[in-house]
Amino acid sequence: MNEHELKTKLVAELKRIYRTQPEQVYHYQKYNAETKEVKYPRIEAGLTDELLLDHVLETKTLALRLMDPATKCSVVGKVDFDLLHDADDMETLTRKAWALKAAIEAYGLKVYVSHSGRRGYHVVVFADQPISVEKWNLFLIKVCQEAGLGYPREHLPKNSDPNQSPIKL
């Protein structure tokens, strides 16, 4: 497979994964080096092949809103673990993220664990069908408790506010 075919296949797979709702709202990460502030402006044109390639090549970081505002449902849920808040060291934080992954997989759901910058992990859960925000909220709390992690400090979606933080992909 040549480089062009590989990029085409990768973009097609990312579109399949990231298009969670018909009117999915996408954002990109904008970092201000002067103020050290991170914002996520909306991508008005929608998700393009070029943006996905920029994301894969790490020249642009994409994010998406987890909830479809019309249905108040999502096929994606997320629990965030940060070193500053959830553990005293990376080893403990890593154990927590992987314990949660195992607990979620026991339900037959797809799970992806990724680094969230330099300070933690995102545990992202994918469902086959849209689930109401209320059910996601209850499930994420329940599975964290089953994994022995207590109440999750940061998880999404947790309510029907359409302006919740986007999840970094």
Side-chain angles (χ1 to χ4, degrees):
M1 185 178 302
N2 66 37
E3 185 177 339
H4 175 73
E5 291 170 330
L6 182 61
K7 285 180 182 177
T8 301
K9 186 175 181 174
L10 181 60
V11 165
E13 181 64 9
L14 290 174
K15 280 182 182 176
R16 185 188 68 75
I17 292 169
Y18 294 162
R19 291 195 186 194
T20 61
Q21 283 92 227
E23 298 299 321
Q24 182 69 57
V25 179
Y26 297 94
H27 301 260
Y28 68 95
Q29 185 179 54
K30 189 174 183 180
Y31 178 70
N32 183 325
E34 221 172 86
T35 63
K36 306 221 184 301
E37 185 177 40
V38 177
K39 291 186 177 183
Y40 288 91
R42 184 177 179 151
I43 299 170
E44 297 298 336
L47 195 61
T48 65
D49 291 0
E50 292 77 24
L51 281 171
L52 282 169
L53 279 175
D54 286 346
H55 175 69
V56 169
L57 298 172
E58 299 182 350
T59 58
K60 191 170 290 244
T61 299
L62 296 177
L64 61 86
R65 299 273 178 196
L66 293 176
M67 182 190 67
D68 178 348
T71 64
K72 306 224 181 320
C73 291
S74 178
V75 293
V76 183
K78 175 195 98 153
V79 177
D80 193 2
F81 291 102
D82 285 326
L83 191 55
L84 299 174
H85 305 286
D86 299 308
D88 294 328
D89 57 77
M90 262 325 259
E91 187 177 321
T92 302
L93 201 64
T94 301
R95 274 198 305 275
K96 286 183 172 189
W98 290 99
L100 181 57
K101 179 181 187 294
I104 292 167
E105 287 176 335
Y107 284 89
L109 295 169
K110 297 174 216 130
V111 186
Y112 178 71
V113 178
S114 67
H115 284 279
S116 61
R118 298 179 307 257
R119 35 172 236 245
Y121 292 98
H122 289 165
V123 178
V124 183
V125 187
F126 297 93
D128 291 329
Q129 299 293 321
I131 297 172
S132 73
V133 170
E134 292 79 17
K135 287 182 180 177
W136 268 118
N137 187 39
L138 292 172
F139 173 73
L140 294 172
I141 292 167
K142 176 183 175 186
V143 76
C144 282
Q145 291 173 338
E146 288 174 355
L149 305 171
Y151 189 90
R153 182 189 55 78
E154 186 177 343
H155 66 285
L156 293 170
K158 69 172 79 170
N159 60 47
S160 58
D161 177 1
N163 296 312
Q164 291 182 69
S165 298
I167 179 175
K168 209 164 61 166
L169 303 175

